[in-house]
Amino acid sequence: MTTLHLQADRIRSLFLDTRYFWILALLVVASDAILVSLIVHFVPYTEIDWETYMIQVETYIKGQRDYSQISGPTGPLVYPAGHVYIHQFLHFICDFGKNIKLAQYIYSGLYLLSIMLSCAIYRQAGTSNWVVLLLPLSKRLHSIYVLRLFNDCWSVVAMQAAVLAYQLGKDDIGTLFFSAALSVKMSIILYLPGLLVILFKKRGFLYTIQKLLVIFATQVLIAFPFIRDNWREYVQGAFNLSRVFLYKWTVNWRMVSEETFLSPQWKRALLLGHVCTLIAFGWNRWCKRDGGVPQVLLRGLRRPTLPASLISVTAESIAAILFTSNLIGVLFARSLHYQFYCWYAQQLPFLTWKTRYPLVVKLALLVGVEYAWNIFPSTSASSAILFISNSLLLAGLYVSE
């Protein structure tokens, strides 16, 4: 009986005692590494965008710098310059893109790195140990990384590194990682509202402007070969905010008609909802303990070189604000494709942990989101489940403080 009690205490400590966080985290990563290896060996690879990436890179290697002239089987080049450089490297080491197995191993390492970074973010935020057990449970996420080789994975990992750097107080490094992530995928801009709140509260107005200039200058530097040749086509191709997605590929909004989905009125309604929700969180949650948005703005503008916050911006609040900003963007996205799940999949356990919902509700939300992302093609029901799950999660975060 004593031995049983001792073993029970050890298991309880492993799940709940922060001193053993990394032991549990490393066990999770090691177990997931075995699973990923089995997936690569036994589950067939599915070609979707990899061939297009490689053909686009080959066009770039041959000297083409006009974005409007770079295309592939699935369409034109619609990603920023960082995407091109990463896949130029992969093109080189993967035998001109033909060695798919090697690419899968590289993406497997990238996936495991994303799990490690998630664990580090969770640890800095003071998350309970057991929450990391939820990180490797997504079937769709494994598929996105090691069976589909989507470029979203690179931007996600760079953004995770940025979040961790900001949590550690390494703002310069965090800003460079943020810029790197943005240079691969425009979707990283969803974090920008939350990042502005954090920088403004943490270090003030002038500091925030400085970091914005660094982000802008970094994007120009990375894209310079393309900007020099034809800057209009580069901006239009890499940062096209007006791009219309096809209804047949969307994971969300299947419960509305195609006519509504494609209409400009629907686009404006989603944008309005996005902006209003950001304002609501900024006004009533992110700045609440500092006396509200007006007081934060006044302090920041009156003392532009000093922090605008009255209290310390903690590692937990940094993760919460950035992840919530991203979740708001996902909720109001005009279209979500299956690979977009990696944008927030590893943030969901943390976000549900932050809510006050009973454990069974938290788990139900995670199951609902995962279920919706695994239905192909999406249906009205799966899209509705996704919308309800994301909305309830966001509502739970709104009332959590």
Side-chain angles (χ1 to χ4, degrees), residues 255-277:
M255 61 280 199
V256 305
S257 68
E258 184 171 5
E259 180 182 4
T260 300
F261 178 83
L262 297 174
S263 69
Q265 293 84 1
W266 180 249
K267 176 185 176 180
R268 287 193 290 268
L270 291 175
L271 179 59
L272 180 62
H274 188 175
V275 172
C276 289
T277 305

Side-chain angles (χ1 to χ4, degrees), residues 330-371:
V330 169
L331 178 63
F332 290 100
R334 189 173 185 182
S335 180
L336 294 174
H337 292 184
Y338 285 93
Q339 66 268 31
F340 296 176
Y341 186 33
C342 70
W343 293 1
Y344 75 133
Q346 291 170 322
Q347 301 170 10
L348 291 172
F350 171 80
L351 291 174
T352 53
W353 173 78
K354 283 283 293 179
T355 69
R356 294 180 179 178
Y357 291 135
L359 180 59
V360 65
V361 175
K362 294 180 180 182
L363 296 177
L365 291 177
L366 293 174
V367 170
V369 172
E370 178 70 16
Y371 167 81

Side-chain angles (χ1 to χ4, degrees), residues 86-365:
I86 289 172
H87 288 85
Q88 180 186 16
F89 173 74
L90 293 173
H91 179 273
F92 173 74
I93 66 172
C94 294
D95 189 22
F96 307 104
K98 298 175 184 177
N99 192 340
I100 300 297
K101 191 65 69 175
L102 176 57
Q104 286 185 280
Y105 282 125
I106 292 171
Y107 270 79
S108 296
L110 187 66
Y111 168 77
L112 293 174
L113 177 59
S114 75
I115 294 291
M116 287 289 291
L117 287 170
S118 293
C119 289
I121 291 168
Y122 282 30
R123 180 68 184 92
Q124 289 298 316
T127 313
S128 297
N129 297 15
W130 63 268
V131 181
V132 301
L133 295 172
L134 302 172
L135 285 172
L137 300 184
S138 173
K139 174 184 175 182
R140 176 61 69 184
L141 192 61
H142 286 91
S143 173
I144 290 168
Y145 274 86
V146 302
L147 298 178
R148 305 295 191 269
L149 312 182
F150 284 116
N151 67 334
D152 302 74
C153 305
W154 296 93
S155 64
V156 166
V157 170
M159 188 62 216
Q160 288 175 320
V163 174
L164 181 59
Y166 285 125
Q167 287 181 309
L168 295 172
K170 309 295 183 181
D171 290 357
D172 291 338
I173 296 174
T175 300
L176 290 178
F177 273 119
F178 179 90
S179 299
L182 184 59
S183 78
V184 178
K185 195 84 176 186
M186 183 181 65
S187 58
I188 297 301
I189 205 168
L190 297 178
Y191 291 92
L192 190 57
L195 180 59
L196 293 177
V197 170
I198 290 168
L199 294 176
F200 193 82
K201 289 177 58 176
K202 191 175 181 181
R203 300 291 291 275
F205 176 71
L206 291 181
Y207 185 83
T208 303
I209 296 299
Q210 179 191 25
K211 295 308 174 190
L212 283 176
L213 290 175
V214 169
I215 293 170
F216 177 78
T218 305
Q219 296 309 306
V220 172
L221 181 63
I222 292 173
F224 184 73
F226 302 101
I227 293 174
R228 180 179 54 188
D229 192 81
N230 192 333
W231 71 268
R232 287 186 178 87
E233 290 297 340
Y234 175 77
V235 173
Q236 177 65 23
F239 296 97
N240 187 357
L241 296 173
S242 61
R243 185 153 56 106
V244 178
F245 294 95
L246 297 177
Y247 183 70
K248 67 177 181 178
W249 296 121
T250 190
V251 179
N252 60 339
W253 309 129
R254 184 70 69 176
M255 61 280 199
V256 305
S257 68
E258 184 171 5
E259 180 182 4
T260 300
F261 178 83
L262 297 174
S263 69
Q265 293 84 1
W266 180 249
K267 176 185 176 180
R268 287 193 290 268
L270 291 175
L271 179 59
L272 180 62
H274 188 175
V275 172
C276 289
T277 305
L278 283 172
I279 291 173
F281 269 87
W283 198 278
N284 297 316
R285 287 294 170 261
W286 298 340
C287 297
K288 181 180 180 180
R289 295 181 180 177
D290 297 293
V293 171
Q295 292 301 316
V296 172
L297 288 174
L298 283 174
R299 279 193 297 271
L301 295 175
R302 286 174 178 172
R303 307 178 302 172
T305 61
L306 298 176
S309 178
L310 293 173
I311 59 176
S312 175
V313 181
T314 66
E316 180 181 351
S317 66
I318 288 172
I321 292 173
L322 289 173
F323 290 174
T324 303
S325 181
N326 185 47
L327 175 62
I328 293 169
V330 169
L331 178 63
F332 290 100
R334 189 173 185 182
S335 180
L336 294 174
H337 292 184
Y338 285 93
Q339 66 268 31
F340 296 176
Y341 186 33
C342 70
W343 293 1
Y344 75 133
Q346 291 170 322
Q347 301 170 10
L348 291 172
F350 171 80
L351 291 174
T352 53
W353 173 78
K354 283 283 293 179
T355 69
R356 294 180 179 178
Y357 291 135
L359 180 59
V360 65
V361 175
K362 294 180 180 182
L363 296 177
L365 291 177

